Structure formats: structure tokens, C-alpha cells
Amino acid sequence: MAAQFGRRLCKGAATTAVAAAAVAALSASQAPGVTADGQGRQTASDATPSSEQGADGGSATGNSPYYTDLPPLNSPNPSPSSGTGTIDPAAAEAGIPATVLDAYKQAEAALREKKPGCNLPWQLLAAIGKVESGQARGGRVDADGTTLSPILGPQLDGNGFALIKDTDDGAHDGNSTYDQAVGPMQFIPSTWAWAGRDGNADGRKDPNNIYDAALSAGHYLCRFDWDLSDRGDLRKAILSYNNSTDYLNTVLSWLEYYRKGTHEIPDGSGTLPGDRSDSGTVVRPSSPAPAAPPVSATPPAPKPTPEPTPAPGKPGGQTPKPTDPGSGSPTTPPPATTPPTPTDTVHHLEAAGGTTLTATAGGTFDERIGARAETDAGKAVARVRIRFTIQGDTDTTFTGGESVATVVTNTSGVAVAPALRAGERTGAFAVRAVVVGRDIPGVAYKANVTERAADALVRTGDAALTCTPGGAFAEQVELKATYGGAAAGKVAATATLVTSADDPSENDKGPYFKDADGQAVRTLKGLRTDADGLLKLPRLYADDTTGTFLLRVTTAGGATVTVELTVAAAGTGAETGTGTGTEAPAPAPSTDPAA
């Protein structure tokens, strides 16, 4: 994790300056009660231990070693891509591998629902993931988010580290004598036993899976009802993960850095960490290392290059030159290569399902979006993560209320997104599908939300609507809208007193409504049915004109009903209304779409 921004600052001065700046911005003070542990590291006594603590004494990692590299001094935002596919070293360190970043954001979304008062930012998980494992060793994970090889800390045998004897019979760390911190978030088995969560819904809780580990870290940090938007609770939560003030400072530095912005980089392209709290500065390779058997948290020293073996019978140990350089075998074997992951083989995406979808406001889209991952030859690629993102000015979401969904392709190479549920906002928007961890063009899907509609509108009563000249109608008109036989709630409607059955223009005489100022109005717009499809119009009044008049109500979707109104003098045999026409004005009808 050594910062790649030209020449690296010397470790002592740079570490102190940058960490101090971060802590000043986020904490404003050192943690209280600082002491020194058995290895001479600073610890803080204000980290509240878990009520479910195991042999770790309340720390998620058992206070295992961590990476101490600090963020680059340059901007975390990426430079414009040249389109060559080459990852700039500085951009690789500043960026977060795609699947790892997706796991952090999914964990934040889950905690926002489960523990909204915690206010967990995904950037905190990213900061801890950077310090604990260098973002899962540069994002070397498969399509499910599981590390390509287990990530193990040193055994906690008391030799320079805490003493934690085996608690899981080696189930997670392969060590049946002592425990070791495991996975990209470095949980020790005794903590994982109660803190572990299934973050990718595969029925397993695997500390080497970034989705499981990120969700578990989020729940761990949110215990005790801590509010991580409060700097005191934030400090306590971080210290409870690893009880060291230096650790706190380092995590806060990365937290502040990621809050300023970061970017997604392909899986496996992140830089590897270098400096560790237990071993000082370590030389870091310039590119990600290939997959390997379970790795120790402390990288092994490089092996010296052996001297060439002298060839028999040749003086001076010189080796014979091949007689045919064009056809001879190479003098040195090619370097070992890492087999490509399924994600590496994806060449393009194809739409698998409808590319144009429509639903009414508040409804569920009948079609579901799908995408198929294919090689250059058009063959299906299974076990690839596809991310679907809703884009545009819309409140439509996937089932569950999220605007982003990540799905793994099946054996046919197809990933089907969760069903879309329309919000109340009408209009067009888009959904985009991309391959997580690959910088290739995605697939766009068009979608549209239309107004709620009704296909039928009827009066709920059948009493005659009559009134004397200058009076008020005793009955208020009530209607019910339906669509496909079901109540059509929140449907827009317009009511107009029309000139005649054949002339829909507004009448200039006869019955009328009153506005808020008591003035006569003969058209009401912005009406809306309630949740049960009912619409009750304001009271109607009559001027001095007698006769039969028509009230026409029309809804979105084209449902229409025409109601007959009669204004007749008293004593003519018609049932009369009450009032003199001088009553207080009726409240104006609501034009609020949510009414």
C-alpha cells in the first residue's frame, strides 16, 4: 500500500503528518486511556468490549497486525481513461476493485435497513478493508466474491502477537493449535462464530468471501447502538476492531480519503500492501501477485536468483549457443501465469429479455431485465457478476427498494435482475447492465412509467341530483374508478360541467362548484381517486337558470361518466335541494397528486 505519487515520502515524517491531519479532521483528539500492549504498540482503553466476546477479548481481529500504508497525496478520483486497458499504478492504489466495492455498498444498504441509527458509511468498510488486507489483496476474488486463495494472518501464538489458542479446530484458518485472523476483513474464528453473516445469500458464512466479511464487519461496527456519524462512537467502533491508536489513525486516514471520492477498478488490478505494523517497511511488487496457496500476512523475502550452472565439458562454464535461434527452445522457461477467471473471458454482454418495459405508477413491471455474458466466440460465461443500475429521474426501484442489483450468471450465462417496481414519478428512465470487474460496454434497457389509469368509472349511488335555483345540491357526487375490475387508486381525474352531450366545452350557466374564494368554477382539474378508487366531488351549487345539466368526469386512461343534474323551481314535483346559494364557500378540491 505504499503511496505511488512520484517519490514516496520518508516513512516516519509522512506517516505522522498525514495521520495527524486525518485524525484532526475526524476525531479532533487522541483516544483516551492510551496504554502500551505487550508488543509496545499503543492501545486505547475506551473501546467497549463486546458482550459476545470470545478469546479475542472483544477485538474482531484479535489485535492482529495490519497494513500501515497511508493514502496517496494526490486526488482519489481517476484520470480520464486512455482506452488502452492499462491500469495506472497510482489509479490502482486509489481505486477499489469492482466486486470489493460492490460488497461494501451492499453491506451499507443492508445496515441502512437493519440498523438505520448506526449510519454506517461504506467508506469505513473500505478503509478497514484497505488496512486489513489491501482490499482482498487487490481484488483477487471470484464471481461470488470469494478470495482466490485464503487470506491468513500470522498464528496468534504469543510470540510477538496475542496468545489465542485454537477455537474452531482449524475450520477457518487450517490451524488446530492457534487461531489466525482470516479473510479480507481479518476476523479471528472466535469472533466470526457469532459475528459472521451470509452477505451473498448462498447459505454459507465464509470469512474469505468479501460479501460475507463486509456485512459481518458492518454488523460488528454497529453493535451497542453506536451512531457512526458521531465522532466519539466512530472512534470506539474502530478501536473495537483493533485496539490500537496507530490503527485508529490509519483507518481514519483512509476513511477521509475515500470520502473525497474513489473509483472502481477491475478485479485483481489493485496494488498489494507493503508496510506492516509488525515488520516495518516491506518491498512491494509493482503488479498484483498471482494466486497462491494460503498466504501469510507477512510476505516472504524474495529468493535469490541462482547462478547459471556451468555446462559439462565447456571451459569457463559457458553454455553453448543454439544453432538455430529461430527454432530452439528458450533458454529460460516462461513465467507462470494465472489461469483466467470467468470474468476475464467475457468479451461482451447481450440483452436477454425485453429491452423496453412499461408499467403504471405504483405497479410492478411485468417483464424482467436479463443480460447474457459471452466470450468473443459467443459462448456463454457462467459465474460472472452482472450489476444492474437504474439511471435517470425516477423513483422506480428493484424489489427490496434498491436502485442497484448484482446477480451472478447461471450456466447459460444469463443473469436476471430482480423485478422492477414503479414509483409515483412518471416518465422514461433506463437500466444499465455491466460486468463487475471488466471495463467493457454494457447493455442499456429503456423503461417508462405511465400514469395510473382507470378503464371504468361509475356513481356509487343512484339518487336523483336536484336543486332549486340559487340553492345547493343536497347530494355530493361520489364515483368509483376501477381498472380490470380492481379498484384504481390515485388516478387523476377532471370534472367539467359541459354544454351538452355532444359539446364537451364548459357550460357558462347552470350548476357550478366554488373555489376557495367562493367564486363559481365549472371545471375541476387535479382531482385524484383515493386508495380505494373513490372520488367524492365538492358540493355543487345552482344559479338562477333552470333546466337539466350535465356533469362529465374523465380519468387518466379514458374512463368517463356523465351525471345528470336538475335545477327546478319548488312545487314542480322535483325534489329540491336546500340552501339559498349564500352559504359559506365549500373547500376547494385538492390538487395534490398524493391526495
Side-chain angles (χ1 to χ4, degrees):
M1 291 182 286
Q4 298 184 25
F5 47 87
R7 183 171 181 175
R8 182 178 174 90
L9 299 174
C10 63
K11 180 175 174 64
T15 301
T16 303
V18 180
V23 176
L26 290 167
S27 301
S29 65
Q30 292 286 347
V34 175
T35 59
D37 66 8
Q39 287 75 48
R41 295 175 298 184
Q42 286 185 315
T43 64
S45 59
D46 71 340
T48 309
S50 168
S51 60
E52 298 164 291
Q53 70 183 43
D56 56 275
S59 164
T61 67
N63 296 329
S64 293
Y66 56 90
Y67 293 107
T68 60
D69 300 62
L70 294 172
L73 297 181
N74 57 326
S75 169
N77 294 311
S79 302
S81 173
S82 62
T84 62
T86 301
I87 301 300
D88 176 70
E93 180 161 12
I96 300 177
T99 298
V100 179
L101 180 59
D102 186 58
Y104 295 150
K105 291 185 175 181
Q106 284 201 27
E108 179 197 57
L111 268 298
R112 189 187 310 125
E113 178 182 351
K114 297 293 185 183
K115 297 185 177 181
C118 179
N119 294 306
L120 171 77
W122 65 261
Q123 292 91 341
L124 176 58
L125 297 176
I128 291 176
K130 183 71 172 180
V131 171
E132 293 295 347
S133 68
Q135 310 298 17
R137 294 185 62 80
R140 299 195 60 76
V141 296
D142 64 15
D144 291 327
T146 302
T147 57
L148 299 182
S149 58
I151 300 176
L152 299 176
Q155 69 176 13
L156 301 175
D157 56 5
N159 185 19
F161 309 110
L163 174 60
I164 303 178
K165 293 186 177 181
D166 175 63
T167 60
D168 68 332
D169 198 24
H172 294 302
D173 54 16
N175 190 334
S176 58
T177 304
Y178 299 99
D179 271 347
Q180 295 174 247
V182 181
M185 302 303 276
Q186 288 290 276
F187 279 95
I188 59 172
S190 57
T191 303
W192 184 260
W194 60 265
R197 299 290 194 280
D198 178 10
N200 62 348
D202 64 353
R204 299 175 61 240
K205 300 175 183 178
D206 181 3
N208 276 300
N209 181 278
I210 186 59
Y211 287 93
D212 294 359
L215 181 61
S216 302
H219 277 279
Y220 185 92
L221 294 165
C222 287
R223 70 202 196 284
F224 301 128
D225 294 324
W226 280 328
D227 177 1
L228 301 185
S229 65
D230 176 84
R231 69 186 183 191
D233 282 356
L234 173 65
R235 185 173 63 248
K236 290 179 182 179
I238 296 172
L239 287 169
S240 77
Y241 211 89
N242 190 315
N243 195 22
S244 161
T245 301
D246 289 338
Y247 180 87
L248 169 70
N249 294 349
T250 306
V251 170
L252 288 175
S253 298
W254 283 103
L255 172 59
E256 182 182 11
Y257 180 75
Y258 287 137
R259 276 177 166 166
K260 292 178 181 178
T262 186
H263 58 281
E264 177 183 293
I265 59 175
D267 289 343
S269 65
T271 57
L272 295 181
D275 301 343
R276 290 190 59 83
S277 61
D278 60 332
S279 59
T281 302
V282 179
V283 177
R284 178 182 57 191
S286 58
S287 60
V295 293
S296 169
T298 304
K303 294 181 179 179
T305 304
E307 295 293 333
T309 303
K314 295 292 180 181
Q318 295 178 345
T319 56
K321 295 181 180 179
T323 57
D324 183 2
S327 60
S329 300
T331 56
T332 57
T337 58
T338 303
T341 66
T343 301
D344 295 332
T345 67
V346 178
H347 177 266
H348 61 273
L349 281 180
E350 294 286 345
T355 56
T356 302
L357 303 94
T358 302
T360 57
T364 300
F365 287 79
D366 292 334
E367 289 188 87
R368 291 174 64 178
I369 293 171
R372 174 182 161 95
E374 296 183 355
T375 65
D376 190 15
K379 293 184 178 180
V381 184
R383 297 181 64 77
V384 173
R385 300 192 75 83
I386 306 297
R387 181 186 298 127
F388 299 90
T389 304
I390 299 173
Q391 300 174 327
D393 185 16
T394 182
D395 55 356
T396 296
T397 64
F398 291 110
T399 302
E402 298 297 327
S403 60
V404 178
T406 304
V407 183
V408 178
T409 58
N410 59 21
T411 55
S412 299
V414 175
V416 179
L420 286 167
R421 181 162 184 82
E424 294 301 324
R425 194 173 303 162
T426 59
F429 65 95
V431 179
R432 186 169 183 79
V434 297
V435 179
V436 176
R438 287 281 285 166
D439 185 16
I440 59 175
V443 178
Y445 308 81
K446 295 180 180 179
N448 187 53
V449 178
T450 60
E451 279 193 296
R452 294 172 183 262
D455 57 13
L457 187 65
V458 297
R459 276 190 69 193
T460 59
D462 55 6
L465 299 170
T466 62
C467 182
T468 57
F473 286 81
E475 290 278 340
Q476 287 180 249
V477 178
E478 185 178 72
L479 309 166
K480 179 159 187 173
T482 56
Y483 187 85
K490 299 184 180 180
V491 175
T494 299
T496 304
L497 289 146
V498 297
T499 301
S500 68
D502 299 324
D503 185 356
S505 62
E506 181 181 292
N507 204 340
D508 60 358
K509 57 187 176 182
Y512 61 90
F513 301 104
K514 289 182 179 180
D515 63 15
D517 298 323
Q519 301 299 311
V521 292
R522 291 185 169 88
T523 298
L524 297 178
K525 296 181 179 180
L527 302 172
R528 197 170 291 274
T529 62
D530 66 14
D532 297 321
L534 295 175
L535 175 62
K536 191 170 186 178
L537 299 181
R539 186 175 298 279
L540 280 160
Y541 299 86
D543 61 14
D544 293 335
T545 308
T546 59
T548 301
F549 303 89
L550 300 178
L551 169 66
R552 181 165 294 166
V553 182
T554 303
T555 68
T560 301
V561 66
T562 301
V563 180
E564 190 174 278
L565 308 172
T566 301
V567 179
T572 60
E575 182 179 355
T576 60
T578 60
T580 63
T582 59
E583 301 169 10
S590 172
T591 59
D592 182 0

